[in-house]
Amino acid sequence: MSWKLADLPFDPPLVLASGDAAAVSLGYDLAKVVVSGAPHPASPHCSFSIAGHDDPSGGPHCFRACVDLAPDRKACLDFPELAPSATRR
């Protein structure tokens, strides 16, 4: 995941002329930043994964960081998904 807003095109494109101003909203959701659950049983390549949290490809999602809460439970942290928007003022 990239944090550069330039990597996410606006649709439709935002056109600004000299002297225009823009309001930008990052549009992120913190609801899924920290998740907890049982370790993913089929994730030998990433110990930072939780059962039931898979990537769109179907493979286990590898979180940024995790902490063990118990032998069969961990809490993991990830960056929020960004959905930036901008409007001309």
Side-chain angles (χ1 to χ4, degrees), residues 2-3 7 13 18 26-27 31 34-35 42-43 54 57 67-68 75 79 83:
S2 174
W3 283 83
D7 290 348
S18 179
L26 293 180
V34 176
V35 296
S43 183
D54 294 335
S57 65
V67 62
D68 291 329
F79 291 128

Side-chain angles (χ1 to χ4, degrees), residues 1-42:
M1 165 186 245
S2 174
W3 283 83
K4 295 186 295 184
L5 293 178
D7 290 348
L8 302 170
F10 291 113
D11 186 20
L14 178 66
V15 178
L16 298 174
S18 179
D20 286 347
V24 177
S25 171
L26 293 180
Y28 55 88
D29 182 2
L30 298 177
K32 296 180 184 176
V33 172
V34 176
V35 296
S36 62
H40 201 292

Side-chain angles (χ1 to χ4, degrees), residues 26-79:
L26 293 180
Y28 55 88
D29 182 2
L30 298 177
K32 296 180 184 176
V33 172
V34 176
V35 296
S36 62
H40 201 292
S43 183
H45 70 284
C46 178
S47 62
F48 291 167
S49 60
I50 295 179
H53 293 273
D54 294 335
D55 285 332
S57 65
H61 178 74
C62 192
F63 288 88
R64 298 283 176 186
C66 292
V67 62
D68 291 329
L69 302 175
D72 62 346
R73 188 164 180 80
K74 61 175 62 183
C76 295
L77 169 76
D78 218 348
F79 291 128

